[in-house]
Amino acid sequence: MGQIKHNQTEKGGSFFYELDGKSLAAMTYILAGEHKIIIDHTEVDPSLKGQSIGKKLQAELVDYVRKNGIKVMPLCPFANATFKKTPEWQDVLA
């Protein structure tokens, strides 16, 4: 079983799924000020199909932004659709 990790840089970051030292999925974001991020891309390796890895990445991101008082703009089509399907995450939207 892999694990989800978070990497942040000066301009953005990502939540990514790593298995045996290899990154197989990622949800990337751009910082838009101190208290807002823009999710710009989600990619999941086809070998992980059906395992809800994309949603798990987004759940980690939601936990992170809640703890840090950050709002989210989901420009990525996957992230946007997942927010629409998950009413309990609406509080983090910008």
Side-chain angles (χ1 to χ4, degrees):
M1 183 70 166
Q3 64 184 109
I4 294 175
K5 297 181 177 181
H6 181 215
N7 178 44
Q8 187 166 338
T9 66
E10 194 175 296
K11 296 182 180 183
S14 67
F15 285 84
F16 59 98
Y17 178 83
E18 194 173 83
L19 181 63
D20 298 328
K22 184 177 179 187
S23 180
L24 296 174
M27 178 172 282
T28 61
Y29 62 87
I30 301 165
L31 298 175
E34 277 188 48
H35 302 289
K36 190 185 296 181
I37 63 171
I38 299 167
I39 301 173
D40 62 345
H41 184 69
T42 304
E43 189 168 339
V44 178
D45 189 274
S47 68
L48 300 172
K49 186 175 174 119
Q51 296 182 42
S52 300
I53 298 298
K55 188 167 183 179
K56 290 174 184 174
L57 291 172
Q58 195 160 341
E60 290 288 327
L61 181 141
V62 168
D63 287 344
Y64 172 78
V65 297
R66 278 186 179 144
K67 289 175 187 168
N68 292 282
I70 299 169
K71 294 293 183 179
V72 177
M73 291 179 59
L75 296 187
C76 162
F78 170 82
N80 191 32
T82 304
F83 271 115
K84 287 179 180 175
K85 294 177 197 171
T86 316
E88 62 269 24
W89 291 351
Q90 300 299 306
D91 62 301
V92 302
L93 293 176

